[in-house]
Structure formats: C-alpha cells, structure tokens
Amino acid sequence: MQTTSDEQQELWFLTGSQHLYGPEALRQVADNVQQLVQAVNGFGRIPVKLVSKPVLTGPEEVLKACNDANSDSKCVGVILWMHTFSPAKMWITGLRALRKPMLHWHTQFNRMLPWATIDMDFMNLNQAAHGDREAGFLHTRLRLPRKVVVGHWTDQEALDRVATWTRAALGWADLQGARFARIGDNMRYVAVTEGDKVAAEAKFGFSVNGYGVGDVVKFVNEVSDAQITALTSEYEGRYNVARPLRKGGDRHESLRDGARIELGLRAFLKDGNFKGFTTTFEDLHGLKQLPGLAVQRLMADGLGFGAEGDWKTCAMLRAAKTMAKGLPGGTSFMEDYTYHLNPADPLVLGSHMLEICESIAEGQASLEIHPLGIGGKADPVRLVFNAPAGAAINASLIDLGNRFRLIVNEVDAIAPPEPLPKLPVARAVWRCRPDFKTACAGWIYSGGAHHTVYSYAVTVEHLRDFAEIAGVELVTIGSGTELQELRQTLRNNEVYYHLAPGLGQI
C-alpha cells in the first residue's frame, strides 16, 4: 500500500456560483478565489496545500468535481464556499456522491463594505451571506456530516479552525487502507480490548489482522551484530544510559537484546507496511524481553501502539499522531494506573509496564533496566522519564456493539508532587477536568477504557472534527461537564444512534 507524503496532500477549494450574473462576474469570482487561496497558503497556518478548482456553476460540474476528489489520493478533503448565490439543487448529486471530508467556510472575499460606492453589481457579486445559507439548508436536508467555519479568510481564529479540521481530515485519510498488526492475541479475559474488527474496517477504513510472535522472531533473528552495535551507540548518544547497560557494563547484553528486538520489529513492520501494532506480555515465545524500548521508540516515529492486544487504542494513537504532526507537545499510549486520593487535590498517575512514548518526555530520558515481575521473561530495558506539566487530553475508542464511541477527558498535567526514585517506568501525573470525581464517574458511565491516547498536541476540537468525519459518537468530559447532564446525554445518544441510520445521518 502506497502512502502519500504531506507535501503531496491537498485540500480542494470548491466555489459555487451561477451563470445568472454573466461572464464578467464569473471571471471576477475566479480571480477572487485565486487571490484567496494564494493568500491562505501564504499564511502557512493550514498544514497542507489549498488548491483552487474552477468555479462551479451547474450540476454536471459539481458532480465531476466531487468524483475527481473521491478518486484523487492526494485530496484529503474539500472546502466549500458560495461566493455568489449558487442554487443548491445543482449540488445534490455531487454531494451525495462525495466521500471525502467536507468543510463549509462561511466567508466572503471582501472584509469591509465600501459604504460610499456599494451598488447592485457589488451586491450581486458578494452574496455569500445568503448563498452560504442556501448551501447550508441543503447540507442539513441531506444530513451531510461537515464542519462549518465562520469568519473572513484573513481571520486567524477562522484559519486555525480550518487548520484543526484539516488535521482531523489528515488523520482520517491516513486510516484509509491502513494495516495494523495484532502480534499475539489480547490479554486473556479482558473485555474492553476486544471488539468487532469487521465493523471497525467498515466504519474507519483500517484493517487489523493477527500475527504470531514467531513472525516477528524471524526478523529478530536475522538482525546482524553490526546493526545492533550501531543502534546501541545511538542509544548512548541520545539517552542517559544507566552505567550497567553501557558498553563494557555487566548488563550491556540486555541492551543489545533490546536493540535486536527493536531492529527486528522495525523490519517486520516495514515488510508488512503496517502503521501500528499491538503486543501482549502473555505471548512472548522466542523473545528474550517484553518489547519496551522498541515500542517507545517506534511510537516516537509515529506508529500506533496498543498494549495487551488493544487494537482500537493502537489505531486511534496512529490517527492522533497524524493529526499532531508538526504541533508542539507529544502524544502517547497511556493507562490510568493508580490514584493519589488526597481530598484536597486528587491526582491520577498514568503509566504502563513499559510502553510510554518518548515524545512526551520532559528533558532527556534515562535508559534503564529493571525487573518487570510479569510475563516470565528477562528484565527488559526501557526509557524512564516524567511527562511535563501542561494541558492535555485522554481519549478512548470503545466498541459498544451497535456503534463505536470516542470518549475524551481534558486534563491538566503537573510535575509529580514528590520524587519517584523507585518507580522504574515513564509516567505522567494529572488533574482531571472538571474535577476528579465528576471526570472518573463520567468516564465509567461512558464505558471508557483504562488504555487511552494521551496528548498535549491534540485537542477536543481535533477529535470532535474526527468523530464528525467518521460518523461516530463523541463524549467529552471537561471544564463544563455536569454528571447528571452527561448521564442524560448518554441516554439520549442511545436513542439517537439507534435511529440515526434510518435518517441517513450515519
């Protein structure tokens, strides 16, 4: 499967008008569109190139533009704008055929009205005020999923909202045809890591298939000593490597074993063109260690990951990594591990056995070796660090049987209140919004998993836009959340998502 680089990806700008106003007006519309698109690209706030398409004035043109967007792998989505009044019935066939994400930008070419010179020619040319309302009626009538952004095309807030949606569209595009490897099965008897992989492929566009650990071991065994030596040298240059693990140290062979696993796992994933993978500590036959360091570094390179066979978190992590590319702050696999139940300031300590992405490390990570106490294998090497303070989110994708639900909690990460000298894993500490009790109860009422995607870069708006594109339920828990209102929303959603397919909404 070939993927498209960021430099090649495009957003198509589709402008509506009609022949009623004559050829001179249409030439002016086309010129204005070119100026708008050129300027927006010059602002550099949208992460892919905006591409203007010929002004659309009839149903045949609209259908062709939509079909062209569908078939062009570079196109990650379309932005619609009605420069003049564009009768919406001419858009019906095309928009019903459109399979790419859609944003409706309610803007106009001019920012200020020329009060002293405005005439009917100006009024006829600049009719987005009601041209976009005509379009909006049709989009609603057809139950089309879309994002509406209001504001002049030089308005930074409007540009940033377009950029946020664009990142969600990039995450969606990356999942189409994506392959995820489930190495071994999920942790035995665990419920939330199970799910319907057929339904997931139909809904999200990615496939998940199982592979034996032996499929990975084959690549691990083919790694050369020279490759291992080169990688361990890289480790010593990049991390604060514990003395026993360094060259000449009494645990250096364990570091070489970790490097061998990383190199073999990388080769396996590259050979299968996978965008993410899962592992489980209950299925390690042929590996000396549970992959810890390898997983941390592969996540830092943008791959999705889920522990204990959690393929849904793996896929969401890959989507979040794609959305976050180029933004400050990291994104990682995470688990709500244990609580600090100080009545005055309850906190969550997030971590995992090993697999927290180094992209969320504050400062230089330490590369250490410690017993794991689970899995029955040799002591694994891993990166140990604290995550930085700052606003973040935790997100969980779950399978409710009749639908998928994406749950997001806004949190505020803090520095650990005290040192953690005996905790040999990477970790993050946070306060939940709106408060500990409301957030935890709301998460549990919503069915949120203990595994999450944790990110300083991805926001609720990114995931709201992603959920809209995917047609899945989104539940948010944040500063304004009230528990009883949330519970009622969950009840209402049960009815809505039962009826919505019949309404053509999903």
Side-chain angles (χ1 to χ4, degrees):
M1 180 183 64
Q2 297 297 315
T3 56
T4 304
S5 70
D6 293 347
E7 291 74 20
Q8 295 174 310
Q9 290 171 308
E10 300 173 348
L11 272 180
W12 286 14
F13 197 83
L14 306 184
T15 307
S17 187
Q18 59 178 330
H19 287 286
L20 179 66
Y21 310 112
E24 181 58 35
L26 288 177
R27 281 193 292 270
Q28 186 62 55
V29 169
D31 288 344
N32 289 353
V33 170
Q34 291 292 336
Q35 292 180 56
L36 183 157
V37 168
Q38 184 176 1
V40 169
N41 283 329
F43 296 148
R45 303 183 79 91
I46 297 176
V48 298
K49 182 181 179 182
L50 191 61
V51 176
S52 62
K53 294 295 176 178
V55 178
L56 304 174
T57 58
E60 294 81 9
E61 297 170 9
V62 173
L63 177 59
K64 183 179 186 305
C66 291
N67 282 334
D68 287 348
N70 290 338
S71 61
D72 193 321
S73 62
K74 299 189 299 297
C75 176
V76 299
V78 300
I79 295 178
L80 305 187
W81 173 47
M82 306 303 123
H83 189 305
T84 68
F85 193 83
S86 179
K89 285 176 65 177
M90 78 181 205
W91 289 80
I92 292 175
T93 303
L95 292 182
R96 283 173 60 87
L98 182 66
R99 299 191 304 275
K100 294 292 176 78
M102 182 179 93
L103 180 143
H104 184 189
W105 198 347
H106 185 43
T107 188
Q108 64 182 26
F109 183 71
N110 60 297
R111 177 184 280 277
M112 311 295 284
L113 286 177
W115 298 105
T117 60
I118 188 170
D119 57 17
M120 284 309 301
D121 287 339
F122 183 96
M123 296 277 278
N124 286 334
L125 183 66
N126 297 282
Q127 293 191 63
H130 63 290
D132 278 334
R133 283 171 165 79
E134 164 77 353
F137 162 74
L138 182 76
H139 303 163
T140 299
R141 176 67 178 81
L142 296 180
R143 275 75 173 180
L144 297 176
R146 82 277 195 192
K147 180 171 186 172
V148 177
V149 173
V150 178
H152 194 257
W153 47 274
T154 60
D155 178 6
Q156 292 189 1
E157 190 273 340
L159 286 164
D160 286 344
R161 295 198 67 214
V162 173
T164 296
W165 173 85
T166 302
R167 290 184 176 278
L170 285 166
W172 176 255
D174 183 73
L175 289 184
Q176 305 314 298
R179 303 179 64 202
F180 295 100
R182 201 175 189 211
I183 302 168
D185 204 345
N186 72 311
M187 183 177 172
R188 297 176 195 123
Y189 300 110
V190 176
V192 76
T193 52
E194 295 282 9
D196 187 338
K197 295 190 285 292
V198 174
E201 187 165 355
K203 173 60 72 174
F204 296 102
F206 63 79
S207 65
V208 180
N209 289 289
Y211 295 84
V213 179
D215 295 321
V216 178
V217 171
K218 173 181 177 293
F219 286 89
V220 171
N221 291 340
E222 292 173 353
V223 174
S224 70
D225 287 342
Q227 290 175 292
I228 295 170
T229 298
L231 185 53
T232 55
S233 295
E234 180 184 329
Y235 293 160
E236 294 201 29
R238 182 181 180 112
Y239 308 114
N240 180 18
V241 180
R243 187 171 299 277
L245 290 174
R246 297 177 189 171
K247 187 174 181 180
D250 59 5
R251 304 300 302 273
H252 185 65
E253 279 305 310
S254 294
L255 185 63
R256 291 182 67 85
D257 289 339
R260 181 183 293 277
I261 291 172
E262 178 183 336
L263 290 162
L265 189 51
R266 282 185 181 277
F268 166 78
L269 295 168
K270 181 178 180 181
D271 183 72
N273 200 18
F274 297 113
K275 294 185 175 181
F277 63 104
T278 70
T279 61
T280 175
F281 63 89
E282 291 178 321
D283 194 353
L284 297 173
H285 306 296
L287 296 178
K288 291 185 178 181
Q289 306 173 9
L290 174 64
L293 175 62
V295 173
Q296 292 176 295
R297 285 170 51 83
L298 285 162
M299 277 193 286
D301 288 345
L303 273 76
F305 173 76
E308 293 124 33
D310 188 352
W311 54 270
K312 296 185 294 298
T313 301
C314 168
M316 272 309 305
L317 179 60
R318 170 66 188 200
K321 290 255 184 200
T322 303
M323 293 183 227
K325 188 173 182 181
L327 295 177
T331 301
S332 177
F333 174 81
M334 187 59 72
E335 179 173 271
D336 293 62
Y337 220 106
T338 190
Y339 295 141
H340 178 63
L341 292 179
N342 178 352
D345 188 19
L347 302 171
V348 179
L349 174 60
S351 186
H352 205 256
M353 294 183 296
L354 301 173
E355 306 96 339
I356 303 299
C357 178
E358 66 171 302
S359 70
I360 67 167
E362 182 176 42
Q364 186 182 42
S366 296
L367 205 171
E368 304 176 11
I369 182 168
H370 302 277
L372 185 60
I374 192 170
K377 289 289 184 178
D379 299 343
V381 292
R382 82 291 299 269
L383 298 174
V384 178
F385 53 82
N386 291 325
I393 58 98
N394 268 312
S396 170
L397 179 66
I398 63 169
D399 183 350
L400 290 174
N402 66 333
R403 67 185 186 279
F404 292 92
R405 172 183 285 167
L406 182 59
I407 307 153
V408 187
N409 183 206
E410 296 176 294
V411 303
D412 293 292
I414 65 169
E418 297 182 30
L420 296 161
K422 293 187 176 181
L423 185 61
V425 288
R427 58 266 174 162
V429 180
W430 64 80
R431 297 185 180 99
C432 302
R433 297 185 194 176
D435 58 76
F436 178 83
K437 291 184 177 180
T438 300
C440 291
W443 190 269
I444 290 171
Y445 276 123
S446 302
H450 54 287
H451 291 164
T452 62
V453 172
Y454 176 87
S455 181
Y456 294 94
V458 175
T459 65
V460 170
E461 187 174 4
H462 287 109
L463 295 181
R464 183 180 296 117
D465 290 345
F466 178 86
E468 181 74 22
I469 291 169
V472 298
E473 178 187 7
L474 177 73
V475 174
T476 59
I477 302 170
S479 298
T481 298
E482 295 181 1
L483 189 58
Q484 294 311 311
E485 183 179 319
L486 174 65
R487 294 187 68 190
Q488 187 58 50
T489 297
L490 295 174
R491 295 186 189 102
N492 295 345
N493 285 0
E494 290 292 342
V495 177
Y496 171 79
Y497 282 94
H498 177 73
L499 297 175
L503 297 173
Q505 180 69 31
I506 297 175

